[in-house]
Each structure stands twice: as structure tokens, then as C-alpha cells.
């Protein structure tokens, strides 16, 4: 019994399915759609039996997991699992379903609709499908030409852009004669909205019309640019402006460099200045120290000097001037303690051994050993010489130097001199008033001191006298405008 039932079931199934056998038919060639418009994706069953009671399923074969485009099942459209981008754009005509026509109407076609579709029709006992290729043609936006810059050689860079094309269009540049110009650079991108293009070209002629043309098999869009002279002038202006700018930048650079250099030099100078100032401070410190030392020395000199003077004066000798040795223009006082310039030649005998060039006179007494000392007041006199000499020294046609036996200091032509082997210029703090002459015959020394301000004037050392020495007192040579006397001080 069981067996019979099973057999019956099988037989009835076979009979049923045989009655519903059909083929699903789609178009042999691709279906062309135009973006923005609507398209019918044909699909029907042969023989033409109603598919109203069947399941009709449209899906994308070329996308991953074959997502759903449209579903009709159980007498209704069931599109909850439909691809988002198809929402509201798909439709099956229900009257056509009765005639075995399951074509899908797709409205507002998009570039992204391009692809392979499958139309799958399933009855209770049978199913079949057909594949449909869909091509979408999209005409993009009109091309836009932009002046993109200037060439160094004077060319104008043009850029042509257009987007939203499908399939990939051709872009060409044409001049006013319609001659095609080749692009320099080309760029193509593809996204869900189709192809976008960027082509560049450089033109060198003004007053020309340059076209940018983008075309598909059945569509074409183009844009025109008139390359006017102004563009090239503006190019030249730009070049000039850029040149000026570059020159300015270079000048600024140089100025900055110079400034930086100067600044560095200045810094260096300031460093040096600081160093110098430090040195100056150090020197000033030294100077102060030395002054301090000197003051201390002077202080001690002031203490020592009077003692020294007191010592020197123990060697004081009574000097009397010897009128017979005096120059004929000199007047020696009767007591032999003073001498002054007389302006007229004395009518004295010329036979004596007199000075005839230097206005000099000797002391009467000479010394040939030990020490002796004398003081002469030179106050208010403007030319004078003091010292010692040998009796045998020449008294005419000479200069007063140790070479010829004179050891002197003097004031002549407003400066002080010692006449050592060379002239020695003496810088004295104050004008001498009273000069002390000290001779150490045995040691070969002659000291000169200023006795009122108490300072040392000059010292001849390591001399060899050999002969008796006489005091020498002089009033310069040849003439002396000043009649103030030189006075031997015996006090
Ligand atoms: C199927 O239906 C569509 C409309 O949905 C129509 O355009 C088309 O001509 C029909 N096909 C046939 C073979 O009748
Ligand atoms: C370019 O010149 C043509 C005439 O030569 C004119 O019709 C057109 O408007 C001009 N286009 C532009 C963008 O100046």
C-alpha cells in the first residue's frame, strides 16, 4: 500500500512538472541604456505561460554575492533586500507577467547600472534563467577650458576638463582650421559616475580659436577658447612681474645677507670693544696702583729727601765765581756770588782764558777728590747751564758735553737738557728754582737736584774725571735777553 501511494505521488509530480516546462529567454545582444532615461531589460518565458504564480528574481551577476535587483514572489514585489541604489527605480508590469513577460523596467538609469543581470524564474516544479548584458551610455558635462599658466618660451598652458562620461570618451584639441592638436598630458579617472578626463596643451599663437572636443559614438560636446593677444600680454606682464619679484627677492636676500654679515661684524666689534674696555679697566686699575705706589714713593721721598739733602749739604763748598774766566758780556758781582748778562762787551783784557761763545764762568776753586756740593738759584732766569768742568777744558768753540769735559744740565729754548753723549731731553714736573749740584769725584757721579720742589733732575754715572773739577755756571750762549742773575747760595 505504501509503495502504491509513493508511486502515485511520483507519477503525479512528473506529470505536473512536465506541464510546467518552459525556457527563460533574454536578448542575445547587450542592452544599451542612456543615463538618466529608462530602459527595459527584456526577459520572458517560452512558451508564453503566465508567471503570475511563479517567483521572478532579478539580480546582478557581476557583483559580489550576486545582490538582488528585484524580487517578485507569492504574487507580490518583495524588495526589502534590494540593492540600495535600485530602490524605487525597478518595476515589473503585472499584466505582462500573465503573458509570460518578466521584463524589468529600470528608470533614471545610472552609470553604475552597467553590468550583467540574471533573470531567474521559478515555478513550484521548474526553474530557468537568462543573462542580460546592460551597457550604459552617459554623456558627461560640457568641457571646461582653463588657462593654467605660461611657458617660459611664451606659450599659453591650457587645461580641458570634463567628467561624467561612459564609456570612456575621446578628447581632442582642434585649432581654428579644425586641425587636431595632440595633448601634452592626459589623465583619466573612473568612478561610479563615469569617466573624467583632464588634458593639457600649450599654444603659442594669439588670435586663435582652440576647441576642446569630447565625444562618444553618438554624442559630442565641445568648448572653445579664443586666445586673445591680451592673454599673451598678461603673460608678458606676469613674466615682468615675476622677474621684478625675483629681482626684489634676490635684493632682499642680499640685503639680509649683508645685514647678517654686518651684524656679525658688529657683534665682533662689540666683543672687541668689551675686551678693550676690560683691558682699559685693568690698565686703569694698574695705573691707579702705580699712582698709589708713586704717591707712596713720593711720600717716602718727602721724608727721605730732606735727610738726603741734609746729607748732601754736609759737602757744601763755598763757591766764588772767577770773573777772569767769564764771557765778556757777563757781569760777575764783586763778591763772586752772582752773575748776569750785561749786554755790552766789558772792556776787560782779552788775554785771559775766557769763554767766548758760551756765556759761562767757573768757580775759583776746584776739587780733585771726595765729594762736594753747591747750590745755584736759577729762579726767573730763562736760559741757564749748571755743572762742573775741568780747568783744562776748552772754553771756545765747544759744546757742553762730557766728551770735552763738561757735565751739565740746562734750560734752553724752553726745554731742559742734559748733554750726555747725546742730548737727553728731560721732562720736569715743575720749573726748577734752585738747583743743587753734587759731585762724587771718586765714584764718577754728578747729581742734579731741584731743591725747592725736591726732585731729582739728572745723574751722570760712571764718569772718569782725571783732572780737578770746577763749578760751571752759564747763561746760555752768545746772548741772553734776561738780565736776572744766577746766584750762588751759601746758606
Ligand atoms: C514585455 O513588456 C514590456 C513592458 O514591460 C514591453 O515593452 C515589451 O515589449 C514586452 N515584450 C514582449 C515580448 O511583449
Ligand atoms: C571667440 O570668438 C568668436 C568669434 O570669433 C566669438 O563668437 C566667441 O564668442 C568668442 N568666444 C569667447 C569665449 O570670447
Amino acid at each position: 500500500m505504501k509503495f502504491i501511494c509513493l508511486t502515485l505521488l511520483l507519477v503525479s509530480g512528473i506529470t505536473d512538472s512536465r506541464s510546467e516546462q518552459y525556457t527563460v529567454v533574454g536578448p542575445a545582444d547587450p542592452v544599451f541604456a542612456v543615463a538618466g532615461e529608462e530602459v527595459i531589460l527584456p526577459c520572458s518565458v517560452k512558451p508564453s505561460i503566465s508567471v503570475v504564480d511563479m517567483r521572478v528574481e532579478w539580480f546582478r551577476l557581476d557583483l559580489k554575492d550576486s545582490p538582488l535587483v528585484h524580487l517578485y514572489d507569492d504574487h507580490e514585489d518583495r524588495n526589502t533586500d534590494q540593492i540600495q541604489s535600485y530602490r524605487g527605480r525597478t518595476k515589473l508590469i503585472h499584466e505582462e507577467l500573465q503573458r509570460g513577460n518578466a521584463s524589468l523596467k529600470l528608470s533614471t538609469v545610472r552609470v553604475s547600472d552597467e553590468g550583467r543581470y540574471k533573470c531567474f524564474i521559478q515555478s513550484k516544479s521548474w526553474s530557468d534563467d537568462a543573462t542580460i548584458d546592460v551597457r550604459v551610455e552617459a554623456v558627461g558635462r560640457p568641457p571646461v577650458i582653463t588657462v593654467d599658466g605660461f611657458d617660459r618660451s611664451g606659450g599659453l598652458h591650457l587645461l580641458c576638463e570634463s567628467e561624467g562620461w561612459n564609456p570612456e570618451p575621446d578628447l581632442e584639441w582642434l585649432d581654428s582650421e579644425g586641425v587636431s592638436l595632440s595633448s601634452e598630458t592626459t589623465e583619466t579617472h573612473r568612478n561610479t559616475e563615469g569617466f573624467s578626463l583632464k588634458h593639457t596643451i600649450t599654444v603659442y599663437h594669439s588670435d586663435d580659436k582652440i576647441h576642446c572636443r569630447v565625444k562618444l559614438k553618438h554624442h559630442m560636446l565641445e568648448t572653445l577658447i579664443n586666445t586673445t593677444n591680451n592673454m599673451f600680454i598678461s603673460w608678458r606682464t606676469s613674466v615682468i612681474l615675476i622677474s621684478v619679484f625675483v629681482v626684489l627677492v634676490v635684493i632682499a636676500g642680499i640685503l639680509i645677507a649683508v645685514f647678517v654679515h654686518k651684524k656679525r661684524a658688529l657683534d665682533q666689534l662689540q666683543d672687541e670693544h668689551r675686551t678693550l674696555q676690560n683691558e682699559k679697566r685693568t690698565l686703569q686699575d694698574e695705573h691707579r696702583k702705580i699712582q698709589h705706589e708713586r704717591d707712596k714713593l713720593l711720600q717716602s721721598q718727602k721724608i727721605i729727601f730732606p735727610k738726603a739733602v741734609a746729607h748732601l749739604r754736609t759737602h757744601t763748598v763755598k763757591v766764588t765765581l772767577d770773573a777772569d774766566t767769564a764771557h765778556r758780556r757777563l757781569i760777575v758781582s764783586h763778591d763772586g756770588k752772582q752773575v748776569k748778562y750785561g749786554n755790552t762787551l766789558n772792556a776787560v783784557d782779552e788775554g785771559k782764558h775766557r769763554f767766548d761763545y758760551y756765556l759761562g764762568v767757573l768757580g775759583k776753586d776746584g776739587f780733585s777728590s771726595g765729594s762736594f756740593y753747591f747750590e745755584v738759584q736759577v729762579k726767573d732766569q730763562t736760559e741757564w747751564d749748571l755743572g762742573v768742568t775741568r780747568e783744562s777744558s776748552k772754553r771756545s768753540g765747544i759744546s757742553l758735553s762730557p766728551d770735552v769735559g763738561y757735565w751739565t744740565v740746562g734750560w734752553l729754548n724752553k726745554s731742559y737738557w742734559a748733554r750726555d753723549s747725546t742730548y737727553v731731553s728731560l721732562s720736569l714736573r715743575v720749573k726748577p728754582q734752585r738747583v743743587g749740584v753734587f759731585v762724587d769725584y771718586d765714584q764718577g757721579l754728578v747729581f742734579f737736584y731741584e731743591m725747592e720742589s725736591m726732585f731729582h733732575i739728572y745723574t751722570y754715572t760712571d764718569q772718569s774725571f782725571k783732572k780737578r773739577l770746577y763749578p760751571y755756571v752759564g747763561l746760555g750762549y752768545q746772548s741772553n735777553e734776561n738780565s736776572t742773575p744766577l746766584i750762588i747760595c751759601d746758606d
Side-chain angles (χ1 to χ4, degrees):
M1 186 63 193
K2 265 186 190 168
F3 176 75
I4 290 167
C5 284
L6 191 65
T7 311
L8 272 174
L9 264 174
L10 275 172
V11 168
S12 80
I14 288 162
T15 317
D16 203 31
S17 64
R18 264 196 200 132
S19 68
E20 284 204 332
Q21 270 187 26
Y22 52 84
T23 314
V24 174
V25 184
D29 298 321
V31 175
F32 284 91
V34 174
E37 298 181 5
E38 68 171 38
V39 69
I40 305 284
L41 308 186
C43 176
S44 51
V45 294
K46 293 275 153 26
S48 307
I49 51 168
S50 171
V51 296
V52 170
D53 299 330
M54 298 185 196
R55 176 186 170 96
V56 177
E57 196 177 321
W58 280 90
F59 56 86
R60 285 285 291 266
L61 263 184
D62 57 337
L63 298 184
K64 203 174 152 229
D65 300 330
S66 303
L68 188 68
V69 173
H70 193 97
L71 175 64
Y72 171 86
D73 193 20
D74 207 5
H75 306 99
E76 275 180 31
D77 292 316
R78 299 177 185 276
N79 281 327
T80 45
D81 292 335
Q82 188 183 37
I83 304 172
Q84 190 67 34
S85 65
Y86 286 95
R87 188 127 302 171
R89 296 198 291 127
T90 56
K91 196 169 186 187
L92 291 173
I93 310 296
H94 289 213
E95 299 85 69
E96 294 289 336
L97 293 177
Q98 284 170 354
R99 295 195 269 138
N101 184 351
S103 300
L104 183 74
K105 197 165 135 185
L106 181 60
S107 51
T108 337
V109 169
R110 299 177 181 181
V111 171
S112 58
D113 294 341
E114 188 170 270
R116 301 194 89 191
Y117 290 74
K118 181 156 271 190
C119 169
F120 174 79
I121 300 176
Q122 189 181 34
S123 69
K124 284 194 183 73
S125 56
W126 194 257
S127 72
D128 194 16
D129 62 62
T131 303
I132 299 101
D133 264 328
V134 176
R135 304 278 167 81
V136 175
E137 197 177 66
V139 177
R141 281 175 272 291
V144 173
I145 299 178
T146 318
V147 178
D148 199 28
F150 305 96
D151 207 42
R152 247 183 267 145
S153 49
L156 197 61
H157 285 304
L158 299 180
L159 167 69
C160 180
E161 291 175 283
S162 185
E163 55 185 26
W165 293 83
N166 198 62
E168 186 178 348
D170 291 324
L171 186 153
E172 62 178 348
W173 295 96
L174 300 166
D175 68 8
S176 49
E177 260 89 59
V179 176
S180 170
L181 309 166
S182 55
S183 297
E184 276 162 11
T185 65
T186 65
E187 253 182 64
T188 309
H189 293 289
R190 200 200 164 159
N191 59 21
T192 53
E193 288 187 33
F195 289 88
S196 59
L197 307 172
K198 273 188 194 178
H199 286 214
T200 64
I201 195 171
T202 305
V203 294
Y204 294 91
H205 304 289
S206 59
D207 296 323
D208 205 351
K209 292 172 187 53
I210 304 293
H211 301 257
C212 175
R213 179 179 289 173
V214 185
K215 62 178 182 184
L216 286 174
K217 214 185 220 168
H218 307 294
H219 299 275
M220 182 184 93
L221 290 175
E222 74 172 22
T223 305
L224 169 74
I225 188 168
N226 295 345
T227 56
T228 65
N229 217 11
N230 281 349
M231 291 180 179
F232 289 86
I233 287 169
S234 73
W235 163 73
R236 275 181 214 113
T237 314
S238 307
V239 166
I240 290 167
L241 284 179
I242 289 168
S243 308
V244 167
F245 179 72
V246 166
V247 167
L248 285 179
V249 165
V250 167
I251 289 174
I254 290 171
L255 286 180
I256 288 169
V258 166
F259 176 75
V260 166
H261 186 75
K262 279 257 169 73
K263 176 101 171 59
R264 227 173 270 161
L266 194 70
D267 287 350
Q268 219 168 358
L269 273 182
Q270 278 178 339
D271 277 354
E272 278 170 22
H273 180 70
R274 261 193 294 277
T275 317
L276 279 179
Q277 274 199 330
N278 282 343
E279 278 173 19
K280 192 177 133 193
R281 255 194 296 278
T282 319
L283 280 179
Q284 278 175 339
D285 283 353
E286 292 280 311
H287 182 71
R288 255 194 298 279
K289 250 187 251 173
I290 287 170
Q291 268 192 336
H292 184 68
E293 294 280 313
R294 204 194 68 184
D295 288 349
K296 255 168 46 179
L297 213 64
L298 279 179
Q299 203 63 35
S300 60
Q301 231 181 45
K302 276 201 185 115
I303 300 164
I304 293 167
F305 213 87
K307 288 183 185 165
V309 166
H311 172 73
L312 291 179
R313 280 179 173 159
T314 60
H315 297 281
T316 301
V317 293
K318 294 235 181 280
V319 171
T320 308
L321 298 174
D322 181 359
D324 289 345
T325 63
H327 188 282
R328 287 168 66 209
R329 287 191 186 274
L330 295 185
I331 300 167
V332 179
S333 65
H334 289 299
D335 59 0
K337 294 295 180 192
Q338 296 191 15
V339 59
K340 65 176 184 181
Y341 184 73
N343 211 17
T344 50
L345 281 173
N346 297 327
V348 291
D349 48 3
E350 287 184 64
K352 290 270 172 63
H353 191 26
R354 292 179 181 277
F355 288 94
D356 67 351
Y357 183 71
Y358 272 91
L359 302 171
V361 58
L362 298 185
K364 272 186 179 151
D365 303 311
F367 307 89
S368 57
S369 66
S371 300
F372 66 97
Y373 174 83
F374 62 95
E375 280 176 24
V376 179
Q377 182 184 304
V378 296
K379 193 169 157 184
D380 300 332
Q381 183 46 260
T382 45
E383 283 185 43
W384 51 262
D385 301 288
L386 289 177
V388 291
T389 184
R390 298 188 193 112
E391 189 183 22
S392 59
S393 297
K394 282 174 117 187
R395 293 179 196 166
S396 71
I398 41 113
S399 69
L400 305 180
S401 82
D403 299 343
V404 290
Y406 287 87
W407 293 269
T408 60
V409 295
W411 196 34
L412 188 69
N413 297 334
K414 294 186 173 146
S415 49
Y416 298 94
W417 297 97
R419 300 183 182 90
D420 214 327
S421 45
T422 58
Y423 260 52
V424 179
S425 172
L426 307 173
S427 56
L428 302 184
R429 280 190 281 132
V430 290
K431 201 174 160 186
Q433 306 288 307
R434 184 170 166 151
V435 178
V437 183
F438 176 84
V439 180
D440 186 326
Y441 190 96
D442 305 322
Q443 299 285 330
L445 294 174
V446 185
F447 295 98
F448 295 89
Y449 291 97
E450 206 305 299
M451 302 311 288
E452 287 201 353
S453 307
M454 298 207 274
F455 60 85
H456 169 244
I457 297 174
Y458 192 72
T459 301
Y460 290 92
T461 56
D462 296 328
Q463 304 296 316
S464 170
F465 301 127
K466 291 180 192 144
K467 298 264 178 63
R468 184 171 287 265
L469 293 178
Y470 288 81
Y472 173 83
V473 177
L475 284 160
Y477 60 89
Q478 279 188 325
S479 70
N480 188 332
E481 302 302 311
N482 189 328
S483 60
T484 312
L486 299 180
I487 303 167
I488 308 292
C489 310
D490 280 337
D491 50 349

